[in-house]
Amino acid sequence: MTSDRASAAETTRFDFLVIGGGSGGLAGARRAAELGANTAVIESHKLGGTCVNVGCVPKKVMWNAAVHAEYLHDHSDYGFAIENSHFSWETLKAKRDAYVSHLNRIYRNNLDKAKIETIQGHARFTDDSEPTVEVNGRKLTAPHILIATGGQPSVLSDDEVPGASLGITSDGFFELETLPKRSVIVGAGYIAVEMAGILATLGSKTSLVIRQTGVLRNFDAFISANCTKELQNNGIDLWKNSQVKSVSKTDKGLEVTIITKDPEKKNDEKISIIEEVECLLWAIGRQPNISGLNIGSMGLDTDERGHIIVDEFQNTSRPGIYAVGDVCGKALLTPVAIAAGRKLAHRLFEGKKDSKLDYSSIPTVVFSHPPIGTVGLTEEEAIKSHGKENVKIYKTSFTPMYHAITSRKSPCIMKLVCVGKEEKVVGLHMQGLGCDEMLQGFAVAIKMGATKADFDNTVAIHPTSSEEFVTMR
């Protein structure tokens, strides 16, 4: 036997090889297996990826706890006399971790039931002429290889910010054993907003450090401004036009040095120190998980941040290699990765050559306090793509009925972005009590091309906040 034949004999062949056992990879693998493909999933950590282990799932548990804390403030207004309520972070963490472990087991059982081989370890592309990966010394190949390795929190080095490594990221948040008395969150995106909201609402004195004047700058300006205001209303200490200059450790915790610039005066800088910080959390973005994968040997095109570039069908620049989810850097949401993975499986193994995910009008929720729901174009995006004269805006702001008798007040704001003579609804944005559960139905309507007249022709459900969307004038 020649050496070429020997190496070929040592390579295990599959129909579909998935690198990454997170939302997108598992969805694609299971659907491919259902369609008859001999499939394997390679995972280096825990099944379920970011979402199940250090993302949406444990985050929502923490947010639910924070909502309980908010409602405690309203009990007396609703006639309940409840004294001495005590919150135990330790109890919550134990239950949350047990739930996540339960989900890990379910994912494993689902793979076993689908007869998908699960391979534990780090995948690395080899230099073989046929696309091949190596895991723990074992070579694997397939005519179709899916990269679904996800992303990870971006971190600053100690060279960039002295002492930066003394902080944690959202991953580390889920390892906290106790509620920090004093927290500093750095960042203005949805992860920063959610983490700051959870910590502050559960009783940690929280500061949020942002580089500009508002949070969620990629969202509609109406939402960005309101969310910024609500953070402050919830007792979060907001440091605008600020950045962390350095971090140092003392006997009483961390000392975080902040530099604040006056946007009006170019050279006017103020230095401040936040003392006795127990939790410094960097939420400054995410980056693709590609280290050690050796994608360079495959000649895959990536953008300047390392995201794998794909076309509308999730094809990379190398035939037979595909990518879905956060590693592609577009619409970093669990259901997006799941949908893209499944659509790809139908295209590859069911012959549905036009099967692809439509990335327009993807609904998303930010679990802030109160929650934000948004789908479609912002007002700014609509004006840019359709022209100001063709865009009509409807918006409202009101106090939800729940707060009619509470001393704690939190407004609900809503906005419709419509275009053209027929006033097609191309954007819907809201923040307020219940907006998280309100959005899905409206997203269906917008995906179907609903107009303002369709909204107006729908009878309102009274008394609810959602009825405002069908009664706007």
Side-chain angles (χ1 to χ4, degrees):
M1 188 182 278
T2 66
S3 60
D4 275 359
R5 279 198 180 165
S7 63
E10 290 160 14
T11 302
T12 310
R13 291 188 169 273
F14 295 93
D15 298 326
F16 193 40
L17 187 56
V18 178
I19 306 170
S23 304
L26 291 173
R30 288 183 65 197
R31 189 57 55 91
E34 276 177 35
L35 296 168
N38 177 22
T39 303
V41 171
I42 304 163
E43 173 53 52
S44 63
H45 189 50
K46 294 177 181 175
L47 290 173
T50 297
C51 175
V52 168
N53 297 291
V54 287
C56 347
V57 171
K59 180 270 304 285
K60 184 74 184 283
V61 172
M62 301 307 285
W63 183 80
N64 286 339
V67 169
H68 273 282
E70 286 185 297
Y71 283 157
L72 285 174
H73 295 294
D74 308 329
H75 281 168
S76 60
D77 291 318
Y78 274 95
F80 291 90
I82 295 176
E83 305 298 323
N84 304 323
S85 60
H86 170 70
F87 169 64
S88 168
W89 178 283
E90 294 78 4
T91 300
L92 177 62
K93 183 180 187 298
K95 285 183 167 258
R96 185 197 75 206
D97 292 351
Y99 175 48
V100 169
S101 296
H102 171 64
L103 293 177
N104 293 144
R105 288 190 294 274
I106 287 174
Y107 277 108
R108 182 60 200 249
N109 290 340
N110 286 341
L111 290 177
D112 291 345
K113 277 185 208 163
K115 300 199 165 31
I116 294 168
E117 184 172 340
T118 308
I119 300 159
Q120 189 75 32
H122 283 275
R124 184 179 182 279
F125 281 101
T126 65
D127 296 328
D128 293 64
S129 54
E130 181 182 28
T132 303
V133 298
E134 192 172 359
V135 186
N136 305 327
R138 179 185 173 197
K139 282 191 172 184
L140 315 157
T141 190
H144 304 292
I145 298 176
L146 173 61
I147 301 171
T149 49
Q152 59 191 19
S154 300
V155 289
L156 291 172
S157 69
D158 288 338
D159 289 339
E160 292 169 292
V161 173
S165 60
L166 293 166
I168 60 171
T169 63
S170 56
D171 288 1
F173 171 81
F174 297 108
E175 293 172 16
L176 292 173
E177 297 291 343
T178 55
L179 173 68
K181 289 192 181 70
R182 186 78 176 87
S183 303
V184 175
I185 316 294
V186 186
Y190 81 93
I191 295 172
V193 166
E194 290 179 342
M195 298 280 122
I198 289 166
L199 284 165
T201 309
L202 290 177
S204 179
K205 183 169 167 36
T206 303
S207 299
L208 181 60
V209 180
I210 63 174
R211 283 185 300 180
Q212 294 184 31
T213 55
V215 297
L216 304 180
R217 293 188 303 275
N218 294 334
F219 285 64
D220 191 276
F222 191 45
I223 295 295
S224 174
N226 192 72
C227 184
T228 304
K229 192 172 72 186
E230 281 297 296
L231 286 167
Q232 290 172 294
N233 288 348
N234 289 333
I236 291 167
D237 179 29
L238 197 58
W239 292 68
K240 298 180 180 181
N241 302 308
S242 299
Q243 286 176 274
V244 175
K245 188 168 185 281
S246 64
V247 187
S248 60
K249 199 168 190 174
T250 71
D251 295 344
K252 293 182 177 177
L254 301 179
E255 272 191 4
V256 182
T257 304
I258 311 274
I259 184 163
T260 304
K261 294 183 178 179
D262 186 334
E264 303 296 314
K265 302 168 190 164
K266 281 265 169 82
N267 300 319
D268 193 359
E269 294 182 347
K270 184 184 166 197
I271 304 284
S272 313
I273 295 174
I274 304 177
E275 298 176 326
E276 297 182 28
V277 174
E278 290 187 12
C279 172
L280 168 64
L281 193 154
W282 300 99
I284 52 173
R286 291 180 67 80
Q287 60 193 40
N289 237 339
I290 53 168
S291 69
L293 204 53
N294 193 28
I295 60 171
S297 70
M298 291 291 99
L300 300 187
D301 290 343
T302 57
D303 68 13
E304 67 281 354
R305 295 190 58 206
H307 296 112
I308 297 172
I309 295 171
V310 292
D311 66 10
E312 58 189 333
F313 290 97
Q314 312 298 147
N315 297 311
T316 68
S317 53
R318 175 85 182 247
I321 300 181
Y322 319 89
V324 300
D326 290 9
V327 77
C328 305
K330 186 179 178 186
L332 312 184
L333 298 162
T334 294
V336 170
I338 290 171
R342 287 176 180 161
K343 294 275 190 189
L344 177 65
H346 284 288
R347 182 167 73 83
L348 299 180
F349 301 108
E350 202 183 21
K352 290 190 172 177
K353 65 181 195 311
D354 296 325
S355 177
K356 63 176 182 180
L357 178 61
D358 175 7
Y359 279 83
S360 67
S361 294
I362 293 168
T364 183
V365 162
V366 179
F367 288 99
S368 48
H369 298 269
I372 290 164
T374 176
V375 60
L377 302 181
T378 65
E379 181 179 346
E380 299 91 325
E381 288 167 344
I383 288 169
K384 198 174 176 183
S385 55
H386 296 275
K388 194 173 173 72
E389 67 283 1
N390 297 312
V391 175
K392 180 83 186 281
I393 302 298
Y394 296 87
K395 59 185 179 181
T396 186
S397 177
F398 58 93
T399 300
M401 190 174 169
Y402 171 84
H403 286 302
I405 63 169
T406 64
S407 50
R408 179 177 74 95
K409 304 290 184 193
S410 181
C412 184
I413 67 160
M414 293 177 165
K415 181 178 193 174
L416 288 177
V417 180
C418 306
V419 300
K421 284 199 182 98
E422 74 284 12
E423 293 195 350
K424 182 181 177 183
V425 182
V426 296
L428 181 149
H429 312 279
M430 55 181 160
Q431 181 173 18
L433 207 58
C435 287
D436 50 334
E437 293 290 351
M438 214 185 288
L439 181 65
Q440 191 76 72
F442 285 115
V444 173
I446 287 168
K447 197 76 177 163
M448 292 174 72
T451 62
K452 178 67 168 64
D454 293 323
F455 274 55
D456 295 342
N457 289 331
T458 304
V459 174
I461 304 165
H462 184 73
T464 64
S465 291
S466 54
E467 68 180 302
E468 294 290 328
F469 272 128
V470 298
T471 57
M472 281 187 183
R473 299 182 65 182

